[in-house]
Amino acid sequence: MKALIITRLGGPEVLELRDAPDPVPGVGEELVRVEAAGVNFADTLAASGGYPGTPKPPLVAGREFSGTRVCNGERVMGYAQWGAFADLIAARSNLLWPVPQGWSAAEGAAFPVNFFTAYLAYWKAGVVNPTLPTSGEGWGNRHCKAPARVLIHAVAGGVGTAAVQIGKLLGVEMYGTSSSDEKLERVKQLGLQYAINYKKQDYVEAIKDLTHGKGVDVVFEMLGGEHTAKSVRCLGDFGRVICYGSATGQRGQIDVGSLYAKGASVHGLWLTYLSANRGLMQQAWEQLSGWIQQCHLRPVIGAVLPMSKAGDAYRLLLERRNFGKVVLTNK
Ligand SMILES: NC(=O)c1ccc[n+]([C@@H]2O[C@H](COP(=O)([O-])OP(=O)(O)OC[C@H]3O[C@@H](n4cnc5c(N)ncnc54)[C@H](OP(=O)(O)O)[C@@H]3O)[C@@H](O)[C@H]2O)c1
């Protein structure tokens, strides 16, 4: 098969489309013929050596995909840690979900990481509780706290645009940051109420002004470095910062003492870890698929490129030129 190989640690230049042996499914795995695959910021980190748990190169890149089950031709979308940027992947059967009716292969490939991460961020925020029983009434009774004010960093990105769609359903008041007015205008069409261009204004000050000094209840923080402490400064009483990334390349810095005054807290979120929790993933999927059936969720795709242009796809994310999801296709 053809596969996109991380040949050595480095930037997008280390990616090469090469012939590779077909994967052999292990216990709990099955073969999926990949049609499209979603590009995540984590893929750039896996190539540069900054993603925990990634084996040493050479390694097939890519952590989410859509395609067809080799055993029966059923259309599925799935989540993995690597191996998705290839003709075939040996995927974990419990991390495969049917591609929703009417969705393209690219849309299926753009779903798993962004929507599970965004949904679980609302869970860590205490806004939803997927472990509550539904008793047949849809999402309403899993929605345990509302309304909340949520600040979403990188709101125009993959996870960001998913968080806005879910936040709209939950009745959350959303504030979002981005480097570009154009991107922010597009996210407003999805339901973002308050847009903050961090190149033009300090977002801590903007949040203070927009909330009349009250602050937000939650920050979705995936920048790291100084932004973890700045995000704490955006909180009101008992607020939570949900930490799930470090796009700046720096570990989040925070003085724990700064949490005392507001009774604030910082929570970690890592889909790699949570995806091993079958019960949680199943409950999250029940909720997300319910919304999909009601046509409330649809991945936002900013660019679709052939697998041979994977380096350009990585650069879109690294240079902040992406909107929503960047997808690679095998066609
Ligand atoms: N913990 C988890 O389980 C988990 C799961 C998924 C994603 N993540 C993390 O969430 C973050 C977003 O992931 P994603 O795949 O959805 O990417 P993305 O948001 O689609 O792309 C990254 C965006 O981050 C913004 N950004 C701000 N500062 C940046 C910087 N110094 N360098 C590069 N980009 C910067 C840029 O948007 P603007 O130009 O609009 O600012 C850029 O477009 C990443 O940190 C990722 O590692 C974590």
Side-chain angles (χ1 to χ4, degrees), residues 1-2 31-38 64-70 76 83-91 105 109 307 328-331:
M1 67 167 186
K2 286 279 181 211
L31 273 187
V32 173
R33 187 162 295 285
V34 176
E35 257 184 80
E64 68 181 333
F65 55 92
S66 72
T68 50
R69 280 190 149 110
V70 167
V76 286
F85 296 164
D87 290 334
L88 289 166
I89 180 170
M307 203 62 79
L328 297 173
T329 59
N330 268 328
K331 290 205 169 152

Side-chain angles (χ1 to χ4, degrees), residues 41 117 158-159 178-179 183 198 222-223 244 269 271 320 322:
F41 204 82
T117 302
V159 178
S178 169
S179 61
K183 288 197 214 177
Y198 62 80
M222 33 55 68
L223 299 167
Y244 60 98
L269 166 62
L271 187 61
R320 310 185 203 191
N322 66 307

Side-chain angles (χ1 to χ4, degrees), residues 39-42 45 51 79 113-114 117 154-160 177-180 183 198 222-223 243-249 269-272 316-322 324-325:
V39 182
N40 287 284
F41 204 82
L45 297 173
Y51 201 87
Y79 174 64
V113 173
N114 293 343
T117 302
V155 73
V159 178
T177 68
S178 169
S179 61
S180 138
K183 288 197 214 177
Y198 62 80
M222 33 55 68
L223 299 167
C243 289
Y244 60 98
S246 49
T248 56
L269 166 62
W270 194 23
L271 187 61
T272 297
L316 287 177
L317 266 69
L318 289 167
E319 294 166 10
R320 310 185 203 191
R321 289 183 289 118
N322 66 307
K325 193 78 179 180

